[in-house]
Amino acid sequence: QVQLVESGGGSVQAGGSLRLSCAASGFTFSRYCMAWFRRTPRKEREGVAFIVSNFGTSYADVVKGRATISRDNAKNTLYLQMNSLKPEDTAVYYCAAILRSYCPVSQAEYDYWGQGIQVTVSS
């Protein structure tokens, strides 16, 4: 049974940092593209950061320079370090997985999703 379980969310003041984790099980984690998406009340779920099996990464412009995605294949865990947080980063964050050598931008293409975790940034 595939599971993606996010942790590390919460409330933080603007300018602060958070580290999200996503524990994966039930599939061969190391072979998958892994991604972080987020959803706000005003927006559809949007891709934030992506990492492929060979550790190549890419980021949405809205977080570039403030976020770092990483993975530990030995622990089957995905991470998202976010610094210099802004109120507009407030969202529910999801990790997602797809068995591809590249990471698609569209959420519709992903096979597996976590349940999501709330991040709230106050000004």
Side-chain angles (χ1 to χ4, degrees), residues 8-72:
S11 296
V12 64
Q13 288 196 327
S17 298
L18 275 179
R19 189 194 196 202
L20 304 181
S21 299
C22 172
S25 60
F27 63 100
T28 308
F29 178 80
S30 61
R31 297 178 60 196
Y32 277 64
C33 150
M34 298 298 299
W36 288 98
F37 285 76
R38 69 186 186 187
R39 185 176 64 195
T40 69
R42 296 183 182 180
K43 284 187 178 180
E44 295 286 333
R45 202 153 45 182
E46 63 176 358
V48 173
F50 308 85
I51 185 167
V52 293
S53 58
N54 68 1
F55 300 95
T57 60
S58 60
Y59 299 90
D61 287 343
V62 290
V63 300
K64 198 171 290 184
R66 301 187 297 118
T68 302
I69 187 171
S70 61
R71 63 193 299 162
D72 185 335

